[in-house]
Amino acid sequence: MRKIDIFDTTLRDGEQAAGINLNTAEKLEIARQLERLGVTIIEAGFPASSPGDFEAVQRIANTVKNSSVTGLARTIMSDIDTSWEALKGAAQPHLHIFIATSPIHMNFKLKKTPDEVVEIAVEAVKHARKKFPLVQWSAEDAFRSDPEFLVRIVNKVIAAGATTINIPDTVGYATPIEYGALFKYLKENVTGIDKVKLSAHCHNDLGMATANTIAAIENGADQVEGTINGIGERAGNVALEEIAVALHIRKDIYGFETDINLQEIKRTSQLVSQLTGVVIQPNKAVVGKNAFAHESGIHQDGMLKNPETYEIITPELIGEKTVPLALGKHSGRHAFKDRAVTMGFELSEEKLNEAFVGFKQLADRKKEITEDDLFVLFTDQQIQNNDTPVYELKNIQVQYSTSNIPTATITAVTPAGAEVNKAATGSGSVEAIFNTLEELVQGKVHILDYRVTSIGKGRDALGEALVNLSYNGQVSTGRDVAQDVLEASAKAYLNAINRQLINADSREMNDVITTI
């Protein structure tokens, strides 16, 4: 079977989606999990875009060893040099550079002639190859480019030293037949195309990203690029879990394989959803909560007689646990630590002790501790950074009745270490909490989005709150969990504020927002 390399861009293209704002610790945690998943290449970010992205890419490059780590750069020499400083500690330094090649992009965005674009691309590749052994070159908006011009520029960048050529459908406009035909055309007309990897990168604006990606593989693509859960700009990128499972389940048709560890798909999907705050739609292929649910009586009858009547993918294939978790209020520290290791977490003794305290407090209030509950406890400890002073919620009290104005009273510790009490009213309990917290943080706050979801099932399930807000003109997203959704909401609000305090020196450049 021909092996297809998996290029994951969750941490770069995925993070560019509206409302997603990952810090360095969260990016590192996702990168570690992508390494466990078995992706070939991890695109860790855009080093030249901000000090925060530079630090994240550098830490990931110095940590991950079983996957190649890459960073994105424009065809600007300073971008390439900055990327080298971030990536030179990687096991196999890899750079991803791009320039637009479609008439509309060259004319209106770059304001360059085709000849100028070719010259810029060639010089950038030559400069990158002086430092990087592996250089991927991408033709932004390749699908809407003139095919003959595409052949011309690809010929030039291969001659300049590019090791991978990426042909993106940047705006999700292609159909499978057209996109596959473009790869076939390049394979037949580009000099030296067999000496480089040909890569596919599909967006999902018309809902055809998975079909387009497979069409590219069938017509010569050696690498596919996408994200976990299909997150990304606009309608998102191709979902890598869909590609991996489709190639596995239908290997009788396609005859391709990947190095993806299918058992890690569920955990990876869950982690990305939790840290980005992007809820997975229930009917999402492969990882949606309804992917293995059967409500129709006819379907249920068939499943009882033989699961294969309606189930082409088993939950076990993607690492979905079906055995109840045997942990409760009487469980000891040893069993708790063993469960953390079994679930793939590497916690220090201090963080494990803190997680155990949280577990015991939760066990006193819940009849059953689910694996979802533990996943949240362990993940929060693994990404927690206690070095920076932040706001800490100490107590919250809400007075509410249908005939009175809701009032929230909150006690919190400020970053300066002072304990402060504040109270305010609102038209509802949540608004009262947010109004009180706005007085506490002493800034102009606008709530852009607010959601509460349950983790697990039952009336005693944990509630997870997500708050997307702007604080003094800067947008930030916070999330937190608690058994009481009002407490979770207050914690999520403060989490968003705290993330701004931690990242105050790592603001992203407003003019460096790109999509491939």
Side-chain angles (χ1 to χ4, degrees):
M1 287 188 178
R2 182 158 67 94
K3 188 172 77 67
I4 305 300
D5 289 340
I6 300 296
F7 180 113
D8 181 278
T9 184
T10 301
L11 298 175
R12 199 277 301 171
D13 209 339
E15 202 208 9
Q16 289 177 193
I20 297 180
N21 178 24
L22 298 169
N23 60 33
T24 297
E26 290 165 338
K27 285 189 173 185
L28 186 59
E29 185 62 23
I30 291 174
R32 286 195 184 108
Q33 181 56 33
L34 292 172
E35 183 181 23
R36 294 187 197 101
L37 180 64
V39 303
T40 314
I41 300 170
I42 299 171
E43 188 166 44
F46 192 165
S49 67
S50 73
D53 234 28
F54 179 93
E55 180 195 10
V57 172
Q58 186 176 58
R59 287 188 61 186
I60 291 169
N62 293 339
T63 301
V64 171
K65 301 304 176 186
N66 295 320
S67 298
S68 180
V69 178
T70 192
L72 185 70
R74 295 166 295 182
T75 47
I76 297 174
M77 303 311 170
S78 59
D79 271 24
I80 295 169
D81 294 339
T82 299
S83 297
W84 172 249
E85 291 304 314
L87 290 159
K88 63 185 180 182
Q92 194 176 38
H94 184 293
L95 183 66
H96 179 195
I97 58 178
F98 72 97
I99 192 168
T101 56
S102 67
I104 190 170
H105 277 240
M106 290 190 291
N107 291 336
F108 294 98
K109 189 178 78 170
L110 299 181
K111 301 186 186 307
K112 302 286 185 184
T113 66
D115 288 346
E116 289 173 322
V117 169
V118 171
E119 182 180 355
I120 292 168
V122 167
E123 290 306 311
V125 171
K126 286 180 178 179
H127 185 71
R129 278 307 306 269
K130 293 176 183 177
K131 301 173 183 291
F132 290 89
L134 298 172
V135 174
Q136 172 170 313
W137 177 83
S138 288
E140 185 181 6
D141 203 21
F143 180 72
R144 294 194 298 174
S145 301
D146 175 65
E148 291 185 3
F149 175 68
L150 208 52
V151 167
R152 175 188 168 199
I153 193 169
V154 170
N155 274 330
K156 294 290 187 180
V157 295
I158 290 177
T163 55
T164 300
I165 302 297
N166 180 34
I167 307 298
D169 179 21
T170 301
V171 296
Y173 185 67
T175 65
I177 290 176
E178 293 174 308
Y179 195 58
L182 179 58
F183 277 77
K184 187 174 185 292
Y185 177 80
L186 294 174
K187 291 289 283 187
E188 293 174 347
N189 291 278
V190 172
T191 303
I193 196 72
D194 293 330
K195 297 178 182 178
V196 300
K197 277 200 298 185
L198 198 54
S199 185
H201 180 121
C202 296
H203 283 258
N204 202 38
D205 297 70
L206 295 178
M208 291 189 280
T210 297
N212 286 344
T213 300
I214 290 178
I217 295 172
E218 290 178 306
N219 286 276
D222 310 292
Q223 173 180 289
V224 297
E225 307 181 13
T227 60
I228 302 301
N229 299 335
I231 63 173
E233 297 254 20
R234 306 182 313 278
N237 294 53
V238 68
L240 289 177
E241 66 275 5
E242 294 180 16
I243 297 298
V245 171
L247 293 183
H248 173 78
I249 294 295
R250 297 313 313 270
K251 55 179 173 283
D252 59 323
I253 296 295
Y254 298 124
F256 309 122
E257 62 180 359
T258 70
D259 285 335
I260 292 295
N261 180 356
L262 301 179
Q263 290 285 304
E264 291 290 337
I265 285 178
K266 181 64 177 181
R267 173 186 164 86
T268 310
S269 170
Q270 187 178 8
L271 180 69
V272 169
S273 177
Q274 181 184 341
L275 296 186
T276 60
V278 178
V279 178
I280 304 167
Q281 66 190 66
N283 61 328
K284 167 75 173 64
V286 180
V287 293
K289 69 178 183 180
N290 290 349
F292 306 105
H294 304 273
E295 187 168 330
S296 161
I298 295 174
H299 284 213
Q300 290 174 345
D301 179 65
M303 285 291 294
L304 290 171
K305 293 172 179 174
N306 186 335
E308 292 184 6
T309 53
Y310 289 104
E311 197 169 79
I312 63 166
I313 309 168
T314 65
E316 293 78 13
L317 178 68
I318 64 167
E320 180 83 73
K321 299 293 188 300
T322 55
V323 180
L325 191 64
L327 283 182
K329 63 188 298 183
H330 300 297
S331 296
R333 192 180 303 270
H334 179 76
F336 184 74
K337 180 178 181 179
D338 182 69
R339 178 61 63 177
V341 172
T342 301
M343 292 176 66
F345 290 92
E346 300 172 2
L347 298 174
S348 65
E349 285 300 316
E350 180 184 359
K351 287 185 177 293
L352 190 68
N353 289 338
E354 291 180 12
F356 188 69
V357 170
F359 162 71
K360 284 295 189 180
Q361 291 173 345
L362 187 60
D364 283 336
R365 300 194 299 268
K366 285 195 69 177
K367 292 181 180 179
E368 178 186 359
I369 305 297
T370 68
E371 185 148 327
D372 287 341
D373 296 331
L374 287 183
F375 187 87
V376 170
L377 285 173
F378 292 143
T379 301
D380 283 348
Q381 284 300 323
Q382 191 139 300
I383 65 174
Q384 191 171 325
N385 182 356
N386 297 321
D387 298 333
T388 305
V390 293
Y391 288 99
E392 180 185 357
L393 183 71
K394 301 296 288 186
N395 186 60
I396 178 170
Q397 181 177 340
V398 179
Q399 294 177 313
Y400 172 81
S401 73
T402 55
S403 56
N404 292 312
I405 298 175
T407 303
T409 304
I410 291 175
T411 303
V413 178
T414 69
E419 189 169 291
V420 178
N421 293 291
K422 293 289 183 180
T425 60
S427 57
S429 299
V430 173
E431 186 183 19
I433 291 170
F434 289 173
N435 288 344
T436 305
L437 292 171
E438 185 171 359
E439 291 188 16
L440 173 72
V441 301
Q442 297 180 339
K444 193 65 178 176
V445 179
H446 291 287
I447 303 298
L448 306 176
D449 190 21
Y450 165 66
R451 300 195 304 270
V452 176
T453 56
S454 66
I455 296 175
K457 301 177 180 179
R459 66 180 66 187
D460 61 353
L462 286 175
E464 180 176 44
L466 183 140
V467 177
N468 182 234
L469 54 77
S470 68
Y471 176 49
N472 293 333
Q474 294 289 337
V475 176
S476 183
T477 300
R479 45 156 294 277
D480 215 314
V481 297
Q483 206 161 13
D484 187 293
V485 294
L486 296 181
E487 180 186 352
S489 301
K491 287 182 174 180
Y493 184 109
L494 287 181
N495 181 247
I497 300 298
N498 289 336
R499 290 168 73 94
Q500 285 223 21
L501 297 178
I502 294 170
N503 297 325
D505 296 325
S506 301
R507 303 297 185 202
E508 293 190 3
M509 293 161 39
N510 291 329
D511 60 340
V512 185
I513 300 176
T514 55
T515 178
I516 302 300

